[in-house]
Amino acid sequence: MSCLAHSFHDVPVVPGIKPIQVATKGGPIWPDFAQEKTLRHCRDGRPVDLPPVWPEGAVEKTIPAALWGCFIDLRFGHLVAEHLSRLPLAVRQWPDLPVLFAAPEGVTVQTLPRWIWEIFDWIGLDSARVQLVTQPMRVGQLFAVPQQEMMFKTGPSQPYLDLLTSWTSRLNGVSRDVLYVTRAGLVAKGHGGFAGEDYVTDLLNRLGIAVLDPAASSIPEQLNAYAGAQRIVFCEGSAVHGRQLLGHIDQEIHILRRRDGQNLAQAQIAPRVGALRYHDIGKETLPVYWKSGLRRDSADLRLYDLAHLFRCFAALGVDLPRYWSRSAYRAAALADIEAWLALHKPMARLRAQYHQILRAADMLPASWQNAKAGDTPISDHPISDHLGRPDL
């Protein structure tokens, strides 16, 4: 991984297409593309993007010089963790050049989500410099900086981390002992998570623990909250990657795993904090699969292992059992389960598996109480195939 700037002459650049699972397609057609491993989109140093294709008979646009930004992945976690790290160093080295981005088909500057503009503002990229590649173009001289960290086991370069750390003084973080970052509400919308987290979140709030809902918070609000907390507890999800927008702060990060044994963003978060710990708090799992048959564990519904959940918060000085209402928790969990099942419409094989798991856990929702496994219609289009691929 290099911080060195690169430039090429007469570079074709093409619009993006919809991401194909982990791969992206669109952007610069680098010279000797197949052998280029520095500037392509990589994971742990290995290119995972697809070769952009120059369309036959294309009417091209020509510009004299530009800076390559990145592919704009509309999934928050993937944009921050995989693509965005090229920009902070680059936009300072070339402060006057337009910055080119490829985006999924149909996305325009006008339709970019607000949170993307807020990230651009945070990293110092003026909106007037942002140009989405919507037609093939040829750039007289194209400048670029490699990714400064990558998914999986590649943490931040030191210059990149130092730059992010220097920005901490720009924040007005409210000092807090513990901050809980919630995914409450997402299970009921069909996404992966813990059934009944709404109850846990509400109880923590009533106990005076600060709670942040990233889905309802702006990027500045999130960063200020992170900067002021001594200890942050993330329910595993894309919000963890938001901490990558900051540099080193001497604080503790605790991540409540949804996928046992997986250390989300460990190589990226560890250099940014004083201590990083992961906690397995899950028990039974309702697994989700793509139509191809591959697991999609990020969408799984989990049931809490309450003993482990209580132990985790006890170590943070929060006595959950003292205030815990079993009936209120169970009602919240059943509501999540019922909503999640209604959206997923599991096929017969999975329905039988879910039925068995939930009955054994005494978490079978009312709509399934009198039905035998496999009694309801089978959907050919489970939610995992039509919700898209959010990194949640």
Side-chain angles (χ1 to χ4, degrees), residues 119-135:
I119 291 176
F120 286 167
D121 183 60
W122 169 248
I123 66 175
L125 175 57
D126 190 278
S127 60
R129 299 176 62 188
V130 175
Q131 292 191 20
L132 263 57
V133 180
T134 56
Q135 69 178 92

Side-chain angles (χ1 to χ4, degrees), residues 204-286:
L204 290 171
N205 220 338
R206 287 187 282 117
L207 293 177
I209 303 301
V211 173
L212 175 72
D213 180 0
S217 306
S218 69
I219 297 299
E221 288 170 341
Q222 293 176 50
L223 299 185
N224 276 299
Y226 298 155
Q230 293 299 309
R231 295 177 289 180
I232 306 175
V233 182
F234 285 96
C235 188
E236 179 196 325
S238 62
V240 173
H241 297 297
R243 181 58 182 82
Q244 290 178 241
L245 293 170
L246 297 176
H248 186 272
I249 299 173
D250 190 17
Q251 62 188 181
E252 292 180 15
I253 300 287
H254 297 262
I255 298 179
L256 308 182
R257 291 190 182 107
R258 287 160 42 216
R259 294 165 284 194
D260 293 344
Q262 293 196 29
N263 293 347
L264 178 70
Q266 182 178 34
Q268 295 75 36
I269 298 297
R272 290 170 157 88
V273 298
L276 173 63
R277 298 184 177 90
Y278 294 83
H279 306 270
D280 288 325
I281 60 161
K283 207 170 183 180
E284 294 87 351
T285 301
L286 272 59

Side-chain angles (χ1 to χ4, degrees), residues 300-323:
D300 290 350
L301 184 144
R302 298 295 307 272
L303 302 183
Y304 283 116
D305 183 322
L306 293 180
H308 287 177
L309 178 70
F310 293 161
R311 193 175 301 124
C312 172
F313 277 97
L316 297 170
V318 182
D319 186 4
L320 288 181
R322 181 178 177 184
Y323 304 95

Side-chain angles (χ1 to χ4, degrees), residues 180-189 194 196-199 201-202 211-215 235 336:
Y180 179 67
V181 185
T182 183
R183 289 173 52 82
L186 291 178
V187 168
K189 296 178 181 178
F194 287 99
E197 191 190 348
D198 299 57
Y199 172 74
T201 299
D202 179 63
V211 173
L212 175 72
D213 180 0
C235 188
D336 273 347

Side-chain angles (χ1 to χ4, degrees), residues 372-389:
K372 296 179 181 178
D375 278 355
T376 58
I378 297 172
S379 170
D380 291 328
H381 302 285
I383 197 167
S384 55
D385 291 299
H386 63 74
L387 272 189
R389 295 173 169 82

Side-chain angles (χ1 to χ4, degrees), residues 34-82:
Q35 300 303 314
E36 176 59 59
K37 295 184 179 179
T38 302
L39 295 175
R40 288 175 58 186
H41 174 208
C42 297
R43 288 182 165 182
D44 280 341
R46 300 184 62 181
V48 295
D49 53 355
L50 301 173
V53 177
W54 185 267
E56 282 189 39
V59 178
E60 64 184 64
K61 176 182 178 181
T62 302
I63 61 174
L67 170 64
W68 168 238
C70 64
F71 184 90
I72 294 186
D73 195 318
L74 297 179
R75 300 168 296 178
F76 172 81
H78 284 276
L79 179 63
V80 174
E82 300 201 65

